[in-house]
Amino acid sequence: MTVPLALPAAHLPGARAEPVSGTAAAAATVAVIVVAAGSGTRLGHAEPKAFVLLDMRSLLDHALDSIFGMTEPVQTIVVAPSDRVADARAIAEQAANRHGALASSNSVGPGPAATHPPATDTASTSTAAGLVRTVTIVAGGRTRQDSVDRGMSALLPSVDIVLVHDAARALTPAALCDDVVAAVRATGYGIIPGLPVVDTIKRVAGSGAILGTVDRSELSAVQTPQGFPRAMLEAARAWAVQNGRFEALTDDAALVADAGHPVRVIPGDPLAFKITTPEDLERADLILHAAAAASQPPLLPRIGTGLDVHAFATEDDKTDTSELWLAGLYWPGERGLSGHSDGDVAAHAICDALLGAAGLGDIGSVFGTADPRFSGAHGDVFLTETVRLVYAAGYLVGNVSVQIIGNRPRFTPRRAEAERLLAGILSAPVNIAATTTDALGFTGRGEGVAATATALVYPAPRPGQPTAPSRTPEPGTTPDLNWEV
């Protein structure tokens, strides 16, 4: 059962989080301080950067996915703006629930008689793999170093490795976090991930004059999380305070190195880029959508069939405006077919076949015979909208085969014309055959016309993939399957 964390209203300097349970305290030897207290003005949003939405979820939410995906028990400490602590707690709780139910929660801080609200919240989480993790929410400070300091004050006693991570690096893979932990553990050094610099770097004077070219083989674009032995990071921060360097060094690795401790770079990951500008946010959104598309099972070609029947209008129904429309063509001098629309059985059968192939229902459920907008509408109206719906479902039309059944009109003379018209609407080959029923049934008695259709649809290429060319067949290029009495 999920128990909401208590909501802290302020940070008490020097307050420390206590373990929720003995199990959680014994399990967590690694802590990740997620710095989420920055304003993010360059991103162009009113809210703090960590709370800006990326694919309907905050950057902080995405960053916590990476932390909860690590392979060992971790104490996760979120340092949030003082006025957004409640929001950070809710986001952390949702992220924890995706990775395992909240096992328990305790409010940490003064008891009921205290005159100040608690500084931190701590709750343990148990993942599907059986790992017990803890989540701690801390109100941030005026500067990044103040915020990291407050995160450090919430470390569990069992923690001996500390990672400092930016919530703005929301797509950082969990494997990179594990790599940093492993490198700290193996070397005892401070570890930062970095990528080689690929651009040529010039030293430039204020006037714009080039002073020289920097050897990029000695450069690395560093990322987070940056990891350190806890004792090393605490000693370096104390040294920086004593020597007046605490505010000047905003990078944790620089602070540790400035204090004389060894720091090494390991290979980073392109996904660990920092989201700072609107362009960065757009890049992250494109990456997420591409990953979602790649993870979906591939669509396979699909086949659908359709059938439509309409009776000829009776003498009582027939007016001067009664017209026959068939396969998208007007047939002068022929008695029209009755129906809510123009009664084009060929067009309607094609719609049914395409909708069925794409899993979209049938023409009746999609368009509706009671809809006044389609009263008297011609077949091209239904076909155009059907193609749009099929494409929206992720498919393109491969080809369509139509069989018209009836004594009239005589179809062969206009077969090629009808195929060109329909193929132009569908952007796919269309073959039309026509037959009679040797005077059998309602079509044989001249009471109406029927049509059957078979349609093949195939998955539309993903962005970046080549599309199949639109194929409109020329007259006579398909076998002549027509025979009529």
Side-chain angles (χ1 to χ4, degrees):
M1 177 178 178
T2 299
V3 182
L5 298 172
L7 303 182
H11 175 82
L12 289 180
R16 297 181 64 86
E18 297 299 329
V20 173
S21 65
T23 303
T29 61
V30 175
V32 182
I33 299 174
V34 182
V35 182
S39 63
T41 54
R42 284 179 290 175
L43 197 55
H45 286 258
E47 62 267 32
K49 184 193 300 185
F51 299 89
V52 171
L53 295 184
L54 169 61
D55 195 28
M56 304 304 294
R57 292 167 49 204
S58 68
L59 297 185
L60 174 59
D61 200 358
H62 287 284
L64 289 175
D65 269 349
S66 301
I67 307 307
F68 289 138
M70 294 175 66
T71 58
E72 64 179 284
V74 171
Q75 180 192 10
T76 303
I77 302 172
V78 178
V79 187
S82 58
D83 60 344
R84 300 299 293 267
V85 170
D87 295 331
R89 187 269 305 160
I91 292 170
E93 182 176 308
Q94 291 171 0
N97 284 336
R98 285 198 304 272
H99 293 267
L102 285 171
S104 62
S105 70
N106 286 344
S107 174
V108 180
T115 58
H116 298 287
T120 58
D121 292 328
T122 301
S124 67
T125 68
S126 179
T127 68
L131 302 178
V132 178
R133 307 178 188 271
T134 58
V135 181
T136 307
I137 312 297
V138 179
R142 181 179 58 85
T143 66
R144 175 188 170 85
Q145 290 296 9
D146 285 338
S147 294
V148 175
D149 222 25
R150 295 185 179 192
M152 293 285 292
S153 73
L155 292 172
L156 295 175
S158 57
V159 169
D160 55 25
I161 293 177
V162 179
L163 273 58
V164 181
H165 187 42
D166 291 323
R169 299 184 185 271
L171 303 186
T172 300
L176 182 60
C177 302
D178 289 329
D179 289 345
V180 172
V181 172
V184 172
R185 191 168 282 145
T187 64
Y189 296 164
I191 298 294
I192 58 175
L195 295 175
V197 175
V198 296
D199 293 324
T200 298
I201 306 298
K202 301 287 187 181
R203 290 188 297 108
V204 181
S207 64
I210 295 177
L211 302 177
T213 302
V214 179
D215 183 359
R216 64 187 179 191
S217 66
E218 298 178 351
L219 301 178
S220 180
V222 299
Q223 303 173 320
T224 69
Q226 300 182 355
F228 313 92
R230 176 178 179 170
M232 176 188 292
L233 185 57
E234 289 177 335
R237 299 183 73 80
W239 181 91
V241 171
Q242 293 169 1
N243 291 272
R245 302 280 288 164
F246 189 71
E247 298 293 342
L249 298 169
T250 58
D251 178 78
D252 302 286
L255 186 148
V256 170
D258 199 53
H261 301 286
V263 179
R264 287 187 177 176
V265 176
I266 65 169
D269 193 291
L271 289 176
F273 67 94
K274 190 173 184 179
I275 298 175
T276 303
T277 66
E279 292 75 20
D280 296 328
L281 191 65
E282 183 178 358
R283 174 188 173 191
D285 189 64
L286 290 173
I287 289 172
L288 288 178
H289 280 82
S295 65
Q296 293 176 352
L299 296 175
L300 299 175
R302 299 174 64 167
I303 295 174
T305 60
L307 168 67
D308 195 46
V309 176
H310 281 286
F312 285 113
T314 65
E315 291 298 327
D316 292 337
D317 295 333
K318 186 175 181 180
T319 66
D320 291 339
T321 59
S322 178
E323 300 173 342
L324 176 64
W325 287 82
L326 184 63
L329 300 178
Y330 168 55
W331 298 78
E334 295 285 351
R335 183 155 41 125
L337 294 167
S338 63
H340 178 61
S341 62
D342 66 358
D344 188 337
V345 291
H348 298 175
I350 293 172
C351 289
D352 264 343
L354 290 172
L355 292 169
L360 299 174
D362 57 30
I363 190 171
S365 61
V366 172
F367 297 101
T369 58
D371 193 330
R373 294 176 301 167
F374 302 118
S375 178
H378 294 307
D380 61 324
V381 173
F382 298 98
L383 289 170
T384 301
E385 178 63 8
T386 296
V387 171
R388 187 192 70 79
L389 293 172
V390 168
Y391 184 77
Y395 292 95
L396 297 177
V397 181
N399 72 291
V400 172
S401 177
V402 184
Q403 181 84 49
I404 297 174
I405 306 167
N407 293 343
R408 48 189 294 223
R410 185 170 177 82
F411 193 79
T412 297
R414 303 188 70 184
R415 168 179 173 264
E417 181 186 1
E419 287 179 343
R420 279 197 303 270
L421 174 68
L422 296 177
I425 296 173
L426 304 180
S427 296
V430 175
N431 186 83
I432 305 176
T435 186
T436 69
T437 55
D438 288 337
L440 298 176
F442 74 92
T443 57
R445 294 190 297 270
E447 297 172 1
V449 181
T452 64
T454 303
L456 172 71
V457 299
Y458 63 96
R462 295 189 179 118
Q465 291 181 323
T467 59
S470 175
R471 301 180 301 278
T472 303
E474 294 298 324
T477 58
T478 51
D480 189 350
L481 303 180
N482 295 306
W483 57 279
E484 302 180 31
V485 175

